[in-house]
Amino acid sequence: MLVLIRSTASETEVCDVLARAEKLRGRAVLFGRVGGPRVVRVEGASADEEMLRSVLAHVAVEKVLARDIPYVLASREVHPVSTIVRVGSAEFGGPALVLAAGPCAVESRDQLRRAAEAAVASGASLLRGGAFKPRTSPYSFQGLGVEGLHLLRETADEFGLAVVTEVMSPEQVPEVAALADMLQIGSRSIQNFPLLDAVGRQAKPVLLKRGMMSTIDEFLGSADYILSRGNPHVVLCERGIRTFDRAVRNTFDVVAIPLLKQLTHLPVIADPSHATGQASLVRPAARAAAAAGADGLIIEVHPDPARALSDGPQALRPAELLALATELRAMLPAFGRSL
Ligand code: PEP
Ligand code: MN
């Protein structure tokens, strides 16, 4: 059983609810952060009239959820007001669509600078780029590691951008958080629970990418891992799921964008690069995502895609990114949005 605590509850009131729950059932665990919505999990409890009455009677209790559900803190039912996540000058979930652009992997200072130039020219506010790369083959380029993080920081500062980059293990969290503005949890890590725990216990915003095999419930369950550890700054990213069709790299679940926005108060962005795997499909997929209400887009751009060390086939050239940004600028006002 889950008990939702009001965000206005005092510490004494919260302790009181915990004590009541413990008296009834033996063990109660508190999740969430002071000043935000919190959840008490009452272990081993099923819907029990006596307990419902007793716990509900408390002024600090917003709601009692009689069954275990994978997500609570991410739920719009629990928190109807849309969350805005601020990263540098970007406001995910605000009126403007946020653009993050950059290479799949940081390869060199020159490559990153040219990608950052394209990002700025296209109106991006974040520079993306992997320093630690999760590659299918151990023989593929694994990223520049800490050197890549420093290049990201220096280049982003030079161009007035914020940095979003992937963190692959709990041990990497402190060094990535020290240099990045937003920590990316990749598709392959969505159920790496110790990693979710670690990014949930630090303060930098998190970009949580949907797993290639995640259901919507699993995706939001992973978001709740982060929220329940105290970090409220979570942005979700639809990046395509694996289906039977191998004609494209992934199947872009565009309907997941409005569906997630109904189910959760968290901002939802899309990654048309990984969703399609082909540069020629990135622009139409990006337009579809924007029309479907995405709060942002994260797009791979490379000055020389043919020579990219990872994901070259899906990388836009700088001019293609610029053309897409021009299309979005023309299109978004029809939906009351801007870039
Ligand atoms: C990436 O953004 O480069 C990446 C590896 O994405 P995903 O985790 O969605 O595959
Ligand atoms: Mn990539």
Side-chain angles (χ1 to χ4, degrees):
M1 179 180 287
L2 300 170
V3 180
L4 182 67
I5 306 288
R6 290 184 199 281
S7 51
T8 49
S10 70
E11 287 320 281
T12 320
E13 288 168 343
V14 173
C15 290
D16 205 25
V17 174
L18 281 169
R20 285 186 190 201
E22 273 172 357
K23 220 153 124 195
L24 282 162
R25 286 289 174 180
R27 196 166 135 76
V29 190
L30 178 67
F31 297 95
R33 89 195 148 92
V34 179
R38 284 183 283 179
V39 172
V40 173
R41 176 180 159 77
V42 187
E43 305 215 324
S46 57
D48 174 316
E49 281 302 311
E50 180 200 9
M51 181 178 169
L52 278 172
R53 267 202 310 279
S54 151
V55 176
L56 263 175
H58 201 283
V59 65
V61 171
E62 173 112 33
K63 210 178 217 173
V64 175
L65 302 150
R67 69 202 153 82
D68 265 349
I69 50 173
Y71 64 96
V72 178
L73 296 176
S75 163
R76 197 180 273 284
E77 208 185 318
V78 162
H79 187 84
V81 182
S82 295
T83 290
I84 293 186
V85 174
R86 294 184 174 80
V87 184
S89 63
E91 282 190 355
F92 290 92
L97 183 137
V98 174
L99 184 59
C104 177
V106 179
E107 297 168 8
S108 68
R109 186 181 294 276
D110 178 60
Q111 171 245 19
L112 193 59
R113 287 191 78 258
R114 289 166 67 194
E117 246 165 45
V120 170
S122 306
S125 40
L126 287 96
L127 177 63
R128 63 142 292 144
F132 298 102
K133 292 301 302 175
R135 303 305 302 277
T136 303
S137 167
Y139 311 114
S140 302
F141 177 58
Q142 306 284 308
L144 296 180
V146 177
E147 185 196 343
L149 291 179
H150 285 283
L151 285 176
L152 275 167
R153 184 71 272 156
E154 287 160 25
T155 310
D157 287 347
E158 181 185 343
F159 287 88
L161 296 164
V163 170
V164 55
T165 193
E166 178 158 354
V167 56
M168 282 170 49
S169 70
E171 298 73 41
Q172 284 169 359
V173 169
E175 59 188 345
V176 177
L179 289 163
D181 300 296
M182 184 177 215
L183 310 189
Q184 178 174 320
I185 301 295
S187 186
R188 291 155 192 80
S189 298
I190 187 149
Q191 287 194 324
N192 180 340
F193 299 116
L195 179 59
L196 300 178
D197 194 272
V199 297
R201 292 184 193 281
Q202 58 82 56
K204 290 273 167 87
V206 176
L207 178 61
L208 180 65
K209 297 189 88 176
R210 183 177 183 181
M212 60 188 81
M213 287 176 289
S214 302
T215 63
I216 296 290
D217 267 10
E218 287 165 348
F219 191 9
L220 292 172
S222 292
D224 252 51
Y225 260 89
I226 303 169
L227 299 172
S228 66
R229 272 41 179 184
N231 187 346
H233 313 296
V234 177
V235 175
L236 306 176
C237 179
E238 163 57 40
R239 49 76 74 204
I241 49 175
R242 186 165 282 188
T243 65
F244 59 88
D245 197 337
R246 304 313 299 144
V248 282
R249 183 176 183 182
N250 288 294
T251 296
F252 184 29
D253 185 5
V254 73
V255 168
I257 299 163
L259 176 62
L260 284 165
K261 289 191 67 72
Q262 285 169 25
L263 296 174
T264 177
H265 54 90
L266 299 173
V268 180
I269 71 163
D271 174 346
S273 306
H274 292 87
T276 63
Q278 294 176 34
S280 64
L281 299 177
V282 169
R283 274 166 69 183
R287 292 193 298 253
D295 293 304
L297 293 167
I298 180 163
I299 296 179
E300 290 186 346
V301 59
H302 195 288
D304 188 359
R307 287 177 205 276
L309 297 180
S310 69
D311 285 351
Q314 70 194 35
L316 296 187
R317 291 185 173 77
E320 292 168 330
L321 182 67
L322 198 58
L324 169 60
T326 307
E327 283 172 348
L328 293 172
R329 253 186 219 106
M331 188 188 117
L332 283 165
F335 304 101
R337 318 270 317 272
S338 60
L339 179 63

